[in-house]
Amino acid sequence: MADALVERLHSLKKERNAVILAHSYQPADIQDVADYVGDSLGLSRLAADTDADVILFCGVHFMAETAAVLSPGKTVLIPDGNAGCPMANMVTPRQLREWREKNPDAVVVTYVNSSARVKALSDICCTSANAVEVVATIPKDKHVLFVPDRNLGHYVKTKLGREMELWNGFCPTHERMLPGMAVEARKQHPGAPLMVHPECRPDLVAMADFVASTTGIIKHCHDSAEREFIIATEIGILHPLRKQNPDKVFHPLTVVADCPNMKLNSIEKMVWALEDMEPVVTVPADIAEKALQPIRRMLEIG
Ligand code: CIZ
Ligand code: SF4
């Protein structure tokens, strides 16, 4: 059954001239059939560069939107249209517009985990891989609002020792990881470094041996001479970590760090999406044009 589905997926992929992109938080079987696995921005940049007509983006809605913004003219599909990101939904365009009206001179830095409409109201975007570098380019006397992740914002503030206003958003999956779990994991796996994503709570980030984005964690674990690691981010990442490092051991900080939205996608829904050519993720042209500006400014920084 599963093999027949995968076969059907491959033939539809050819028929549609589609490319399959999967975020490293996706279920393992989806990552295994994808053409590329990576973080949201890296995948969106790949999407813009391929000559595929159709992008099947296995991730959550804001990621597919970013691909649509960077690839006008291509059809962007998502396997499950309900796969949204609760953190991205914690700031609405109306709220941000109202804040901007009250703070006309402030700079709004927006994490890519946000809707295209929110990006369109922002000055510059950032990812968890470049947030510190992005904020470092803003003059110190500027009032900065960091949207929507208070935890990533707190990490940037601490790293740079600068004041910033933080939107009160967070990732419910990363928020579930607690310092007590790190104490316990260190007892169970003495000497194993604790790798923490900056979407985690500040009290957990403060305990980390290494803080990085998904791509940063994957690269560090690969390059490190250590053989055993404790991983504090969404558990989908264990799949690429184990696949790329069969001689190393990876312990999740907790198995409850399992994003239910990411897991709405399935191979079956991927087949349906390519068969029916829906759900299509679109961004209206005027919004896409405005959302592209803060993304471009971020890309110029590197
Ligand atoms: O931007 C991404 O892909 C996310 C959600 C996390 C990360 O650290 O890469
Ligand atoms: Fe959103 Fe968190 Fe799920 Fe990522 S892991 S999609 S930030 S809820």
Side-chain angles (χ1 to χ4, degrees):
M1 168 67 179
D3 286 352
L5 270 179
V6 172
E7 251 171 55
R8 179 80 189 121
L9 184 69
H10 285 309
S11 69
L12 278 166
K13 201 179 91 165
K14 258 197 217 124
E15 223 173 275
R16 304 288 191 207
N17 187 25
V19 64
I20 299 177
L21 308 180
H23 193 269
S24 51
Y25 293 163
Q26 283 291 284
D29 57 350
I30 292 186
Q31 295 192 35
D32 286 343
V33 296
D35 296 301
Y36 302 100
V37 176
D39 63 25
S40 62
L41 187 70
L43 291 173
S44 295
R45 294 175 86 168
L46 278 170
D49 288 346
T50 67
D51 49 18
D53 298 315
V54 175
I55 297 154
L56 179 57
F57 205 121
C58 304
V60 291
H61 194 264
F62 77 81
M63 300 178 175
E65 272 194 338
T66 307
V69 167
L70 290 175
S71 313
K74 292 181 185 167
T75 303
V76 180
L77 301 169
I78 187 166
D80 188 317
N82 290 318
C85 167
M87 168 155 69
N89 295 339
M90 286 179 195
V91 54
T92 66
R94 176 190 287 269
Q95 288 171 316
L96 187 54
R97 201 175 302 113
E98 282 171 8
W99 190 94
R100 289 215 76 135
E101 277 161 16
K102 286 191 211 124
N103 301 274
D105 297 327
V107 177
V108 176
V109 179
T110 298
Y111 187 28
V112 286
N113 293 31
S114 53
S115 68
R117 284 179 194 277
V118 162
K119 289 185 180 79
L121 291 164
S122 307
D123 294 299
I124 189 160
C125 285
C126 71
T127 67
S128 43
N130 62 21
V132 173
E133 287 86 341
V134 165
V135 175
T137 63
I138 303 168
K140 280 228 163 172
D141 58 335
K142 278 279 180 194
H143 183 60
V144 174
L145 173 67
F146 192 91
V147 178
D149 186 1
R150 66 181 184 211
N151 292 342
L152 179 60
H154 185 276
Y155 173 68
V156 174
K157 267 175 80 167
T158 311
K159 274 291 221 193
L160 293 174
R162 80 169 284 165
E163 260 321 302
M164 275 201 303
E165 189 172 338
L166 307 180
W167 199 266
N168 195 19
F170 61 92
C171 162
T173 298
H174 283 80
E175 194 79 3
R176 254 179 243 143
M177 288 179 267
L178 304 172
M181 295 171 176
V183 173
E184 197 46 44
R186 279 184 165 144
K187 263 193 228 150
Q188 303 266 328
H189 314 292
L194 172 65
M195 319 296 283
V196 178
H197 194 280
E199 283 179 25
C200 290
R201 296 157 43 122
D203 50 8
L204 180 59
V205 169
M207 295 173 72
D209 294 300
F210 190 75
V211 182
S213 67
T214 54
T215 306
I217 290 176
I218 289 172
K219 183 173 182 334
H220 184 84
C221 291
H222 184 265
D223 296 348
S224 166
E226 304 279 353
R227 325 247 18 111
E228 208 171 329
F229 302 86
I230 303 163
I231 306 295
T233 189
E234 209 281 339
I235 54 170
I237 201 176
L238 294 167
H239 186 62
L241 284 171
R242 288 175 178 152
K243 209 165 157 176
Q244 288 170 30
N245 307 280
D247 54 334
K248 297 184 182 178
V249 182
F250 299 94
H251 308 284
L253 180 69
T254 165
V255 290
V256 302
D258 188 4
C259 175
N261 312 287
M262 284 282 178
K263 304 299 156 37
L264 282 175
N265 295 325
S266 66
I267 302 272
E268 199 168 27
K269 290 175 190 173
M270 291 167 72
V271 170
W272 295 339
L274 284 179
E275 219 153 59
D276 302 340
M277 289 298 283
E278 63 175 28
V280 177
V281 176
T282 54
V283 179
D286 57 327
I287 301 291
E289 202 181 304
K290 286 190 191 132
L292 192 56
Q293 302 309 318
I295 297 173
R296 277 225 179 100
R297 275 183 215 119
M298 164 183 72
L299 295 177
E300 277 160 19
I301 292 169

